[in-house]
Amino acid sequence: MDFILQFFIIIPLIGFVISLFIPSKKETVISWTAFFTVGIHMLGLVAFLVFWLLNGHPYLNLKEIPIIKTIGYEFYIDFYFDKITAVYLLVGAFLTFLVTIYSRYYLHRESGYKRFFNTILFFYIGYNIAVLSGNFETLFMGWEILGISSFLLIAFYRDRYLPVKNALKVFSVYRIGDIGLILAMWASHHLWHENISFMKLHNYELVHEHLLDHSVIGFFISIMILVAAAAKSAQLPFSSWLPRAMEGPTPSSAIFYGSLSVHLGVFLLLRTFPFWEHQVAVRILIGILGLTTSIIASLIARVQSSIKSQIAYSSVAQIGIIFIEVALGWEDLALIHFAGNAFLRTYQLLVSPSVVSYKIREQLYSFVPKHHTIEDSFPKRVEYSIYLLSLKEWNLESFMDNLIRRPSKFIGKRLSFLTVKRLYLLFVPTYLIGLYFLFIVKNAAPSVTQYLPGLFSIIGFVLVLKSFSERKSPLLSWMLLIANHFCVALAISFNEYFSFQEAIFYLSGVSVAGFIGILCLAKLRKYEKNISLNRFYGLSYEHPKLALLFLLVSLALMGFPITTTFIGEDLIFSHIHHDQFILAYFTASSFIFSGLSVVRMYARLFLGPHQKSYHEIPYKSA
């Protein structure tokens, strides 16, 4: 029975590959490909669930062939199936099937028709991988696919300013969730001394024994899991991204931010519940977070003027309640609540265009204001303060700006002297000195070299912050990202067991993607003489093939699961010692900001309003 699980990944993957080769003018073929792919997947899932239930609904675990194995580390794909997986797969299959039917007509004659269905199938692959995952590494693969497909769907109307801008904001919050998951994986390697599977977490004696001796590491893992779940499910203080995600087409808003993607934080908590269920402090934190989010999101939803924003914050409030249910250990109730909330929000978002016309008619002919509301019982000063805070969405947007954008700008301004030539002059000698200490001085003076991993990780982090804040030269920003990866590899190389072959394995993906990216930028500069990162150029209109190639190499450079860079990043964290918090933090932060910088570069060069005026240009506020 276990071997059947892999077909729930293979079916959407085959559909996605087929859809890539269908001409964009063949709307009917494109939509029917997506329709049959999701439909066959759903029918197969229903048949499998019946068979699974009749056989006593056992836990299923399928460990695939290990991809890479070194001393103390093994990267392998693992699939796991239980009632949580069953509910999430069934809800996801049914809602995606409905949305594909709806989208066939909703997006008729849309210029990005093929691009939409390709991205939906790509999202569906990531969703199935995440839900079927049997360990953190497999979960992170699906997690990353969901993140990039979210960005692509929010920026679907890529010739407009606001969808692209909001897609970048949403992706930045997703990357914060990624850092939580990465650090949880790192600490988990040191706690278990293996690539632990979710099935082993149900072994109470094993979990209790490890947490008894390493309670601090266990608490750290739980907090990082909570950070990842809160960012993915739009809980405080990350709630402001969900209404911004509604800039995409209504079907993608329904399937992503009303039903499936936004509930993956709940899935993460449910999947790891056996690990933190006996950590009372963690359960209290999750409950408080869910309660606070529910109250504040409900208040914000009541003052929204957009129907999509109202639905978004209402969904956030309900997910906060689900967080409380998970913290209390009510797993079955949380699953029922997830299914109900997913179906309700999908329905509300799909009918939202019609609701707007109904509400206008109601306001004109039959609107009767309420004579008394619950807010009237508050003192007027408190009532007005809550009202103003809710209108400003409790300044959550400003909080995210202060957390990410402004610090990076501050550091970037201090590094404004860096150019491509100066980068070579400063980085190459510094790197050669590092190699000298690695191969010559490492064994002779260990008291000196013990500080070098943290130093080179900080250098790499500073370089990637400069890349993120760079406004003039795309080539400089790209070169800084490559230099960051080489700094990270050098920093980890000072630790034992990280061999030269492993460093080459990690940097091979970086080198190939980096070189192709340089060629893409050179070719783009040949076509367009004056390009910078100070505005959106929308050059995908002019150079669609070059835009696609640059997107692929950007994903490869940021560690997306299509090159060795992705496995290499996990391999790197397996070699960071449990007491090297500075190295772990700056390495994880480098990966997160490098992803932000890469996506920002792609968006500014190829997305947004097109700079030339021989065709219709949307206004900035469109």
Side-chain angles (χ1 to χ4, degrees), residues 8-17 19 37 41 79 89 96 118-132 138 141-143 145-146 149:
F8 296 125
I9 309 296
I10 294 174
I11 292 173
L13 179 61
I14 292 174
F16 171 70
V17 172
S19 70
T37 299
H41 186 276
F79 296 132
L89 276 182
T96 308
N118 287 343
T119 313
I120 284 291
L121 289 174
F122 187 56
F123 151 77
Y124 197 51
I125 295 170
Y127 179 80
N128 281 277
I129 292 175
V131 171
L132 281 165
T138 310
M141 290 179 61
W143 195 274
I145 293 174
L146 288 171
S149 56

mmCIF file of all heavy atoms in Angstrom, residues 8-17 19 37 41 79 89 96 118-132 138 141-143 145-146 149:
data_model
loop_
_atom_site.group_PDB
_atom_site.id
_atom_site.type_symbol
_atom_site.label_atom_id
_atom_site.label_comp_id
_atom_site.label_asym_id
_atom_site.label_seq_id
_atom_site.Cartn_x
_atom_site.Cartn_y
_atom_site.Cartn_z
ATOM 1 N N PHE A 8 0.570 10.055 -6.094
ATOM 2 C CA PHE A 8 -0.099 11.334 -5.825
ATOM 3 C C PHE A 8 0.824 12.520 -6.096
ATOM 4 O O PHE A 8 0.362 13.665 -6.126
ATOM 5 C CB PHE A 8 -0.606 11.371 -4.380
ATOM 6 C CG PHE A 8 -1.650 10.338 -4.092
ATOM 7 C CD1 PHE A 8 -1.500 9.438 -3.048
ATOM 8 C CD2 PHE A 8 -2.783 10.250 -4.869
ATOM 9 C CE1 PHE A 8 -2.456 8.478 -2.782
ATOM 10 C CE2 PHE A 8 -3.750 9.287 -4.624
ATOM 11 C CZ PHE A 8 -3.595 8.393 -3.574
ATOM 12 N N ILE A 9 2.120 12.271 -6.277
ATOM 13 C CA ILE A 9 3.052 13.299 -6.724
ATOM 14 C C ILE A 9 3.270 13.201 -8.226
ATOM 15 O O ILE A 9 3.358 14.218 -8.925
ATOM 16 C CB ILE A 9 4.413 13.166 -5.998
ATOM 17 C CG1 ILE A 9 4.217 13.101 -4.483
ATOM 18 C CG2 ILE A 9 5.342 14.304 -6.379
ATOM 19 C CD1 ILE A 9 3.632 14.347 -3.884
ATOM 20 N N ILE A 10 3.322 11.978 -8.735
ATOM 21 C CA ILE A 10 3.631 11.765 -10.151
ATOM 22 C C ILE A 10 2.509 12.290 -11.051
ATOM 23 O O ILE A 10 2.774 12.896 -12.106
ATOM 24 C CB ILE A 10 3.880 10.266 -10.416
ATOM 25 C CG1 ILE A 10 5.147 9.811 -9.678
ATOM 26 C CG2 ILE A 10 4.004 9.986 -11.908
ATOM 27 C CD1 ILE A 10 5.393 8.315 -9.749
ATOM 28 N N ILE A 11 1.248 12.080 -10.655
ATOM 29 C CA ILE A 11 0.115 12.490 -11.514
ATOM 30 C C ILE A 11 0.115 13.991 -11.776
ATOM 31 O O ILE A 11 0.082 14.420 -12.945
ATOM 32 C CB ILE A 11 -1.216 12.021 -10.897
ATOM 33 C CG1 ILE A 11 -1.314 10.496 -10.946
ATOM 34 C CG2 ILE A 11 -2.403 12.647 -11.639
ATOM 35 C CD1 ILE A 11 -2.520 9.933 -10.217
ATOM 36 N N PRO A 12 0.143 14.872 -10.745
ATOM 37 C CA PRO A 12 0.200 16.314 -11.057
ATOM 38 C C PRO A 12 1.489 16.723 -11.755
ATOM 39 O O PRO A 12 1.494 17.673 -12.554
ATOM 40 C CB PRO A 12 0.065 16.989 -9.686
ATOM 41 C CG PRO A 12 0.397 15.957 -8.683
ATOM 42 C CD PRO A 12 0.026 14.656 -9.284
ATOM 43 N N LEU A 13 2.591 16.012 -11.486
ATOM 44 C CA LEU A 13 3.851 16.332 -12.160
ATOM 45 C C LEU A 13 3.746 16.073 -13.658
ATOM 46 O O LEU A 13 4.194 16.893 -14.483
ATOM 47 C CB LEU A 13 4.985 15.505 -11.547
ATOM 48 C CG LEU A 13 6.373 15.708 -12.155
ATOM 49 C CD1 LEU A 13 6.829 17.158 -11.992
ATOM 50 C CD2 LEU A 13 7.383 14.756 -11.521
ATOM 51 N N ILE A 14 3.138 14.946 -14.036
ATOM 52 C CA ILE A 14 2.952 14.632 -15.459
ATOM 53 C C ILE A 14 2.049 15.680 -16.121
ATOM 54 O O ILE A 14 2.329 16.166 -17.218
ATOM 55 C CB ILE A 14 2.369 13.221 -15.625
ATOM 56 C CG1 ILE A 14 3.397 12.164 -15.188
ATOM 57 C CG2 ILE A 14 1.941 12.974 -17.073
ATOM 58 C CD1 ILE A 14 2.853 10.748 -15.186
ATOM 59 N N GLY A 15 0.954 16.037 -15.431
ATOM 60 C CA GLY A 15 0.060 17.056 -15.975
ATOM 61 C C GLY A 15 0.750 18.393 -16.162
ATOM 62 O O GLY A 15 0.526 19.087 -17.168
ATOM 63 N N PHE A 16 1.597 18.762 -15.208
ATOM 64 C CA PHE A 16 2.325 20.026 -15.303
ATOM 65 C C PHE A 16 3.286 20.018 -16.484
ATOM 66 O O PHE A 16 3.349 20.987 -17.254
ATOM 67 C CB PHE A 16 3.086 20.279 -13.997
ATOM 68 C CG PHE A 16 4.043 21.426 -14.049
ATOM 69 C CD1 PHE A 16 3.586 22.730 -14.127
ATOM 70 C CD2 PHE A 16 5.419 21.200 -14.041
ATOM 71 C CE1 PHE A 16 4.480 23.794 -14.187
ATOM 72 C CE2 PHE A 16 6.309 22.254 -14.101
ATOM 73 C CZ PHE A 16 5.843 23.558 -14.176
ATOM 74 N N VAL A 17 4.015 18.929 -16.666
ATOM 75 C CA VAL A 17 4.980 18.842 -17.777
ATOM 76 C C VAL A 17 4.254 18.894 -19.118
ATOM 77 O O VAL A 17 4.687 19.585 -20.054
ATOM 78 C CB VAL A 17 5.821 17.552 -17.651
ATOM 79 C CG1 VAL A 17 6.683 17.361 -18.884
ATOM 80 C CG2 VAL A 17 6.688 17.600 -16.393
ATOM 81 N N SER A 19 1.379 20.315 -19.751
ATOM 82 C CA SER A 19 0.834 21.658 -19.962
ATOM 83 C C SER A 19 1.887 22.651 -20.426
ATOM 84 O O SER A 19 1.558 23.657 -21.067
ATOM 85 C CB SER A 19 0.182 22.165 -18.668
ATOM 86 O OG SER A 19 1.154 22.441 -17.673
ATOM 87 N N THR A 37 -6.070 16.281 -15.103
ATOM 88 C CA THR A 37 -5.001 15.981 -14.144
ATOM 89 C C THR A 37 -5.533 15.977 -12.719
ATOM 90 O O THR A 37 -5.343 15.010 -11.962
ATOM 91 C CB THR A 37 -3.865 17.008 -14.272
ATOM 92 O OG1 THR A 37 -3.320 16.956 -15.591
ATOM 93 C CG2 THR A 37 -2.769 16.724 -13.259
ATOM 94 N N HIS A 41 -6.471 12.697 -10.321
ATOM 95 C CA HIS A 41 -5.834 12.679 -9.000
ATOM 96 C C HIS A 41 -6.882 12.540 -7.901
ATOM 97 O O HIS A 41 -6.710 11.756 -6.954
ATOM 98 C CB HIS A 41 -5.029 13.968 -8.816
ATOM 99 C CG HIS A 41 -4.216 14.011 -7.561
ATOM 100 N ND1 HIS A 41 -4.746 14.405 -6.345
ATOM 101 C CD2 HIS A 41 -2.912 13.705 -7.314
ATOM 102 C CE1 HIS A 41 -3.802 14.340 -5.424
ATOM 103 N NE2 HIS A 41 -2.689 13.915 -5.973
ATOM 104 N N PHE A 79 7.695 9.905 2.376
ATOM 105 C CA PHE A 79 6.265 10.184 2.310
ATOM 106 C C PHE A 79 5.552 9.499 3.478
ATOM 107 O O PHE A 79 5.880 8.367 3.839
ATOM 108 C CB PHE A 79 5.673 9.692 0.982
ATOM 109 C CG PHE A 79 6.216 10.410 -0.218
ATOM 110 C CD1 PHE A 79 6.665 9.700 -1.329
ATOM 111 C CD2 PHE A 79 6.293 11.784 -0.250
ATOM 112 C CE1 PHE A 79 7.163 10.348 -2.435
ATOM 113 C CE2 PHE A 79 6.792 12.453 -1.345
ATOM 114 C CZ PHE A 79 7.234 11.729 -2.440
ATOM 115 N N LEU A 89 -5.323 16.206 1.840
ATOM 116 C CA LEU A 89 -5.302 15.810 0.431
ATOM 117 C C LEU A 89 -6.697 15.856 -0.178
ATOM 118 O O LEU A 89 -6.874 16.333 -1.310
ATOM 119 C CB LEU A 89 -4.722 14.407 0.299
ATOM 120 C CG LEU A 89 -3.208 14.251 0.249
ATOM 121 C CD1 LEU A 89 -2.836 12.789 0.069
ATOM 122 C CD2 LEU A 89 -2.604 15.084 -0.865
ATOM 123 N N THR A 96 -9.280 22.248 -5.576
ATOM 124 C CA THR A 96 -8.514 22.541 -6.788
ATOM 125 C C THR A 96 -9.285 22.115 -8.029
ATOM 126 O O THR A 96 -9.257 22.798 -9.066
ATOM 127 C CB THR A 96 -7.152 21.824 -6.751
ATOM 128 O OG1 THR A 96 -6.480 22.132 -5.526
ATOM 129 C CG2 THR A 96 -6.282 22.265 -7.915
ATOM 130 N N ASN A 118 -0.498 26.663 -15.730
ATOM 131 C CA ASN A 118 0.807 26.079 -15.416
ATOM 132 C C ASN A 118 1.169 26.290 -13.955
ATOM 133 O O ASN A 118 1.658 25.382 -13.273
ATOM 134 C CB ASN A 118 1.894 26.703 -16.305
ATOM 135 C CG ASN A 118 1.820 26.237 -17.747
ATOM 136 O OD1 ASN A 118 1.178 25.239 -18.052
ATOM 137 N ND2 ASN A 118 2.465 26.966 -18.633
ATOM 138 N N THR A 119 0.921 27.502 -13.474
ATOM 139 C CA THR A 119 1.262 27.820 -12.092
ATOM 140 C C THR A 119 0.356 27.090 -11.111
ATOM 141 O O THR A 119 0.809 26.666 -10.034
ATOM 142 C CB THR A 119 1.177 29.337 -11.858
ATOM 143 O OG1 THR A 119 1.840 30.031 -12.909
ATOM 144 C CG2 THR A 119 1.813 29.719 -10.526
ATOM 145 N N ILE A 120 -0.921 26.931 -11.452
ATOM 146 C CA ILE A 120 -1.841 26.186 -10.579
ATOM 147 C C ILE A 120 -1.387 24.737 -10.440
ATOM 148 O O ILE A 120 -1.367 24.169 -9.328
ATOM 149 C CB ILE A 120 -3.283 26.256 -11.132
ATOM 150 C CG1 ILE A 120 -3.891 27.634 -10.850
ATOM 151 C CG2 ILE A 120 -4.158 25.172 -10.507
ATOM 152 C CD1 ILE A 120 -4.167 27.916 -9.376
ATOM 153 N N LEU A 121 -1.002 24.108 -11.550
ATOM 154 C CA LEU A 121 -0.516 22.723 -11.484
ATOM 155 C C LEU A 121 0.809 22.644 -10.727
ATOM 156 O O LEU A 121 1.055 21.678 -10.000
ATOM 157 C CB LEU A 121 -0.360 22.157 -12.896
ATOM 158 C CG LEU A 121 -1.667 21.862 -13.642
ATOM 159 C CD1 LEU A 121 -1.386 21.442 -15.074
ATOM 160 C CD2 LEU A 121 -2.468 20.782 -12.928
ATOM 161 N N PHE A 122 1.645 23.657 -10.903
ATOM 162 C CA PHE A 122 2.908 23.716 -10.165
ATOM 163 C C PHE A 122 2.640 23.831 -8.664
ATOM 164 O O PHE A 122 3.276 23.162 -7.841
ATOM 165 C CB PHE A 122 3.721 24.909 -10.661
ATOM 166 C CG PHE A 122 5.109 24.975 -10.101
ATOM 167 C CD1 PHE A 122 5.984 23.910 -10.239
ATOM 168 C CD2 PHE A 122 5.553 26.107 -9.450
ATOM 169 C CE1 PHE A 122 7.274 23.969 -9.733
ATOM 170 C CE2 PHE A 122 6.831 26.182 -8.940
ATOM 171 C CZ PHE A 122 7.697 25.118 -9.077
ATOM 172 N N PHE A 123 1.685 24.689 -8.313
ATOM 173 C CA PHE A 123 1.274 24.808 -6.911
ATOM 174 C C PHE A 123 0.748 23.480 -6.374
ATOM 175 O O PHE A 123 1.055 23.085 -5.243
ATOM 176 C CB PHE A 123 0.186 25.882 -6.783
ATOM 177 C CG PHE A 123 -0.771 25.657 -5.646
ATOM 178 C CD1 PHE A 123 -0.404 25.941 -4.342
ATOM 179 C CD2 PHE A 123 -2.046 25.146 -5.876
ATOM 180 C CE1 PHE A 123 -1.280 25.719 -3.292
ATOM 181 C CE2 PHE A 123 -2.925 24.935 -4.842
ATOM 182 C CZ PHE A 123 -2.539 25.219 -3.541
ATOM 183 N N TYR A 124 -0.028 22.783 -7.199
ATOM 184 C CA TYR A 124 -0.635 21.527 -6.748
ATOM 185 C C TYR A 124 0.429 20.466 -6.483
ATOM 186 O O TYR A 124 0.289 19.651 -5.562
ATOM 187 C CB TYR A 124 -1.630 21.045 -7.816
ATOM 188 C CG TYR A 124 -2.610 20.008 -7.313
ATOM 189 C CD1 TYR A 124 -3.340 20.222 -6.152
ATOM 190 C CD2 TYR A 124 -2.792 18.815 -8.006
ATOM 191 C CE1 TYR A 124 -4.236 19.274 -5.691
ATOM 192 C CE2 TYR A 124 -3.686 17.864 -7.556
ATOM 193 C CZ TYR A 124 -4.403 18.102 -6.394
ATOM 194 O OH TYR A 124 -5.289 17.151 -5.933
ATOM 195 N N ILE A 125 1.515 20.484 -7.275
ATOM 196 C CA ILE A 125 2.638 19.581 -6.998
ATOM 197 C C ILE A 125 3.227 19.878 -5.630
ATOM 198 O O ILE A 125 3.447 18.989 -4.801
ATOM 199 C CB ILE A 125 3.717 19.716 -8.085
ATOM 200 C CG1 ILE A 125 3.194 19.252 -9.440
ATOM 201 C CG2 ILE A 125 4.969 18.913 -7.714
ATOM 202 C CD1 ILE A 125 4.128 19.574 -10.596
ATOM 203 N N GLY A 126 3.499 21.172 -5.372
ATOM 204 C CA GLY A 126 4.076 21.563 -4.094
ATOM 205 C C GLY A 126 3.167 21.253 -2.922
ATOM 206 O O GLY A 126 3.633 20.815 -1.858
ATOM 207 N N TYR A 127 1.864 21.453 -3.108
ATOM 208 C CA TYR A 127 0.912 21.170 -2.035
ATOM 209 C C TYR A 127 0.918 19.683 -1.682
ATOM 210 O O TYR A 127 0.927 19.309 -0.502
ATOM 211 C CB TYR A 127 -0.486 21.620 -2.464
ATOM 212 C CG TYR A 127 -1.560 21.350 -1.438
ATOM 213 C CD1 TYR A 127 -1.728 22.198 -0.352
ATOM 214 C CD2 TYR A 127 -2.409 20.251 -1.553
ATOM 215 C CE1 TYR A 127 -2.719 21.954 0.598
ATOM 216 C CE2 TYR A 127 -3.392 20.005 -0.613
ATOM 217 C CZ TYR A 127 -3.540 20.861 0.461
ATOM 218 O OH TYR A 127 -4.513 20.606 1.402
ATOM 219 N N ASN A 128 0.914 18.829 -2.699
ATOM 220 C CA ASN A 128 0.915 17.384 -2.441
ATOM 221 C C ASN A 128 2.216 16.923 -1.797
ATOM 222 O O ASN A 128 2.213 16.056 -0.920
ATOM 223 C CB ASN A 128 0.657 16.630 -3.745
ATOM 224 C CG ASN A 128 -0.801 16.622 -4.143
ATOM 225 O OD1 ASN A 128 -1.585 15.804 -3.662
ATOM 226 N ND2 ASN A 128 -1.187 17.544 -5.001
ATOM 227 N N ILE A 129 3.349 17.503 -2.230
ATOM 228 C CA ILE A 129 4.621 17.145 -1.612
ATOM 229 C C ILE A 129 4.631 17.541 -0.140
ATOM 230 O O ILE A 129 5.059 16.767 0.726
ATOM 231 C CB ILE A 129 5.794 17.819 -2.357
ATOM 232 C CG1 ILE A 129 5.939 17.226 -3.758
ATOM 233 C CG2 ILE A 129 7.108 17.650 -1.582
ATOM 234 C CD1 ILE A 129 6.984 17.916 -4.608
ATOM 235 N N ALA A 130 4.149 18.752 0.161
ATOM 236 C CA ALA A 130 4.146 19.222 1.546
ATOM 237 C C ALA A 130 3.232 18.378 2.419
ATOM 238 O O ALA A 130 3.593 17.996 3.541
ATOM 239 C CB ALA A 130 3.715 20.693 1.589
ATOM 240 N N VAL A 131 2.041 18.060 1.928
ATOM 241 C CA VAL A 131 1.068 17.331 2.737
ATOM 242 C C VAL A 131 1.481 15.870 2.917
ATOM 243 O O VAL A 131 1.256 15.276 3.980
ATOM 244 C CB VAL A 131 -0.326 17.431 2.082
ATOM 245 C CG1 VAL A 131 -1.322 16.508 2.769
ATOM 246 C CG2 VAL A 131 -0.828 18.874 2.146
ATOM 247 N N LEU A 132 2.116 15.287 1.907
ATOM 248 C CA LEU A 132 2.550 13.890 1.994
ATOM 249 C C LEU A 132 3.932 13.727 2.628
ATOM 250 O O LEU A 132 4.402 12.602 2.785
ATOM 251 C CB LEU A 132 2.574 13.259 0.599
ATOM 252 C CG LEU A 132 1.227 12.823 0.019
ATOM 253 C CD1 LEU A 132 1.344 12.576 -1.466
ATOM 254 C CD2 LEU A 132 0.694 11.590 0.730
ATOM 255 N N THR A 138 11.591 16.883 3.055
ATOM 256 C CA THR A 138 10.545 16.757 2.033
ATOM 257 C C THR A 138 9.503 17.854 2.181
ATOM 258 O O THR A 138 9.030 18.409 1.177
ATOM 259 C CB THR A 138 9.873 15.373 2.145
ATOM 260 O OG1 THR A 138 10.869 14.350 2.192
ATOM 261 C CG2 THR A 138 8.960 15.121 0.955
ATOM 262 N N MET A 141 10.711 21.071 0.638
ATOM 263 C CA MET A 141 10.605 21.093 -0.827
ATOM 264 C C MET A 141 9.240 21.620 -1.262
ATOM 265 O O MET A 141 9.143 22.537 -2.090
ATOM 266 C CB MET A 141 10.839 19.693 -1.390
ATOM 267 C CG MET A 141 12.252 19.185 -1.289
ATOM 268 S SD MET A 141 12.441 17.506 -1.952
ATOM 269 C CE MET A 141 11.971 17.757 -3.656
ATOM 270 N N GLY A 142 8.172 21.030 -0.713
ATOM 271 C CA GLY A 142 6.835 21.517 -1.040
ATOM 272 C C GLY A 142 6.606 22.941 -0.568
ATOM 273 O O GLY A 142 5.937 23.736 -1.246
ATOM 274 N N TRP A 143 7.170 23.269 0.591
ATOM 275 C CA TRP A 143 7.054 24.616 1.169
ATOM 276 C C TRP A 143 7.625 25.670 0.212
ATOM 277 O O TRP A 143 7.025 26.730 -0.004
ATOM 278 C CB TRP A 143 7.814 24.620 2.489
ATOM 279 C CG TRP A 143 7.569 25.751 3.425
ATOM 280 C CD1 TRP A 143 8.188 26.946 3.418
ATOM 281 C CD2 TRP A 143 6.671 25.786 4.543
ATOM 282 N NE1 TRP A 143 7.739 27.726 4.464
ATOM 283 C CE2 TRP A 143 6.809 27.033 5.162
ATOM 284 C CE3 TRP A 143 5.769 24.866 5.080
ATOM 285 C CZ2 TRP A 143 6.077 27.398 6.296
ATOM 286 C CZ3 TRP A 143 5.047 25.226 6.205
ATOM 287 C CH2 TRP A 143 5.189 26.471 6.800
ATOM 288 N N ILE A 145 8.106 25.339 -3.101
ATOM 289 C CA ILE A 145 7.307 25.387 -4.327
ATOM 290 C C ILE A 145 6.060 26.239 -4.117
ATOM 291 O O ILE A 145 5.680 27.043 -4.980
ATOM 292 C CB ILE A 145 6.932 23.956 -4.778
ATOM 293 C CG1 ILE A 145 8.189 23.202 -5.213
ATOM 294 C CG2 ILE A 145 5.924 23.985 -5.920
ATOM 295 C CD1 ILE A 145 7.953 21.749 -5.546
ATOM 296 N N LEU A 146 5.423 26.098 -2.967
ATOM 297 C CA LEU A 146 4.256 26.915 -2.662
ATOM 298 C C LEU A 146 4.615 28.396 -2.597
ATOM 299 O O LEU A 146 3.847 29.257 -3.037
ATOM 300 C CB LEU A 146 3.635 26.465 -1.332
ATOM 301 C CG LEU A 146 2.908 25.125 -1.349
ATOM 302 C CD1 LEU A 146 2.548 24.699 0.071
ATOM 303 C CD2 LEU A 146 1.653 25.211 -2.194
ATOM 304 N N SER A 149 5.266 29.736 -6.248
ATOM 305 C CA SER A 149 4.021 29.755 -7.020
ATOM 306 C C SER A 149 3.079 30.833 -6.497
ATOM 307 O O SER A 149 2.326 31.440 -7.271
ATOM 308 C CB SER A 149 3.349 28.380 -7.006
ATOM 309 O OG SER A 149 3.121 27.939 -5.681
#
